[in-house]
């Protein structure tokens, strides 16, 4: 980004990417972390790698405390959960799991109060981001506009590319790209990002089983990055 563009982005949103990251340790003897991805997004868009919220959660109790707290934080618009996962739920670094049903309960509890501030949840986990969990979360919360994630056992590098593209596009289109108006409506924003992402990386989207889910008018959900010929499985 050139200096002129960076000034423009700073003038639109001077302090935060609006991203909140909760990460669990991936392996006992590894320091691998998604922090580098979000450092890059923050640095490139705002000139400061600290312009996002980050914390770690190693137990169900810690994760269950962190999710409602960040979901009620005015500084956080999008929540990114970075953990291992499978079709049943997310897996934390100490070999403890949080089942899908418990995550939905957390969202329901937050939605029942006036505290919900987040608009979207991105599951940075293998096999736990498909239409099934999306439908349950979007049904549980009228305040959350979208969910995103993967339905396969993803490669770290390949999924990192999609994660970077997604959040970089979300920030740039929200802040206002050069010669374009900022998109402040969350539904319009995520639809435009999905269209761009589908154009840029169709192969990665299909290979990794990546989806961005929103409610359909009239009921049900739709995957905004599904091939046009694909019928969404809402099972």
């Amino acid at each position: 980004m050139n200096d002129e563009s960076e000034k423009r982005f700073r003038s639109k949103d001077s302090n935060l990417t609006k991203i909140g990251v909760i990460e669990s340790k991936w392996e006992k003897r590894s320091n691998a972390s998604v922090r580098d991805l979000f450092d890059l997004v923050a640095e490139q868009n705002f000139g400061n790698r600290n312009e996002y919220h980050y914390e770690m959660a190693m137990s169900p109790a810690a994760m269950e405390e962190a999710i409602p707290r960040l979901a009620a934080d005015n500084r956080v618009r999008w929540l990114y959960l970075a953990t291992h996962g499978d079709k049943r739920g997310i897996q934390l670094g100490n070999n403890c799991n949080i089942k899908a049903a418990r995550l939905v309960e957390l969202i329901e509890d937050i939605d029942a109060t006036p505290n919900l501030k987040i608009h979207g949840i991105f599951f940075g986990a293998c096999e736990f981001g498909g239409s099934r969990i999306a439908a349950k979360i979007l049904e549980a919360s009228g305040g959350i506009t979208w969910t995103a994630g993967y339905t396969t056992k993803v490669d770290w590098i390949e999924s990192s590319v999609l994660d970077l593209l997604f959040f970089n596009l979300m920030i740039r289109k929200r802040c206002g790209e050069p010669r374009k108006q900022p998109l402040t409506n969350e539904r319009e924003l995520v639809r435009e990002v999905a269209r761009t992402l589908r154009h840029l990386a169709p192969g990665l989207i299909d290979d990794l089983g990546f989806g961005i889910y929103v409610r359909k008018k009239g009921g049900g959900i739709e995957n905004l990055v599904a091939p046009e010929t694909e019928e969404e499985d809402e099972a």
Side-chain angles (χ1 to χ4, degrees):
M1 185 189 305
N2 58 39
D3 291 342
E4 188 173 334
S5 296
E6 185 173 316
K7 278 184 189 176
R8 179 168 186 170
F9 284 171
R10 283 173 176 266
S11 70
K12 298 293 183 185
D13 188 2
S14 62
N15 61 350
L16 289 172
T17 60
K18 304 299 184 187
I19 300 169
V21 179
I22 309 174
E23 182 174 34
S24 191
K25 191 172 178 65
W26 298 95
E27 306 294 342
K28 287 184 179 179
R29 301 193 179 189
S30 171
N31 290 325
S33 173
V34 299
R35 288 194 72 166
D36 291 339
L37 307 181
F38 293 98
D39 283 356
L40 180 60
V41 168
E43 178 70 32
Q44 289 299 305
N45 285 291
F46 298 102
N48 183 351
R49 65 181 57 192
N50 296 312
E51 295 293 352
Y52 68 98
H53 178 90
Y54 174 88
E55 60 185 83
M56 295 195 75
M58 292 294 291
S59 69
M63 185 67 78
E64 291 178 16
E65 184 278 330
I67 290 175
R69 175 165 43 80
L70 292 194
D73 191 329
N74 281 320
R75 299 169 301 169
V76 176
R77 181 168 176 158
W78 307 315
L79 189 61
Y80 181 94
L81 301 183
T83 70
H84 287 299
D86 59 28
K87 295 176 182 178
R88 297 167 297 176
I90 59 174
Q91 302 168 356
L92 307 181
N94 59 1
N95 294 321
C96 292
N97 300 334
I98 300 180
K99 302 289 188 184
R102 178 56 185 146
L103 287 170
V104 173
E105 285 177 0
L106 287 173
I107 300 301
E108 285 177 332
D109 290 345
I110 303 164
D111 199 63
T113 75
N115 297 327
L116 183 71
K117 300 295 188 299
I118 58 170
H119 294 259
I121 301 177
F122 192 120
F123 292 102
C126 291
E127 298 186 331
F128 188 72
S131 60
R132 185 166 300 183
I133 186 63
K136 290 178 179 178
I137 287 176
L138 293 174
E139 180 182 352
S141 170
I144 293 175
T145 302
W146 58 266
T147 72
Y150 301 94
T151 59
T152 66
K153 291 185 177 180
V154 298
D155 175 84
W156 179 281
I157 299 297
E158 292 175 352
S159 61
S160 294
V161 171
L162 276 182
D163 294 356
L164 279 170
L165 283 171
F166 176 85
F167 283 107
N168 195 55
L169 287 167
M170 290 289 280
I171 291 167
R172 293 194 170 207
K173 292 182 184 296
R174 173 176 61 83
C175 291
E177 297 175 290
R179 298 182 298 280
K180 293 185 179 180
Q181 290 296 313
L183 292 174
T184 56
N185 179 279
E186 191 73 15
R187 190 174 178 86
E188 293 176 3
L189 171 63
V190 77
R191 282 186 176 277
E192 179 59 27
V193 166
R195 280 192 289 267
T196 305
L197 199 60
R198 183 74 212 175
H199 173 73
L200 291 174
L204 277 179
I205 288 170
D206 294 342
D207 289 348
L208 300 181
F210 179 70
I212 303 171
Y213 300 92
V214 297
R215 296 174 192 83
K216 280 183 183 177
K217 288 183 179 178
I221 63 169
E222 61 178 318
N223 180 2
L224 298 180
V225 292
E228 291 184 6
T229 57
E230 178 182 306
E231 294 185 3
E232 177 62 20
D233 176 14
E234 297 174 13

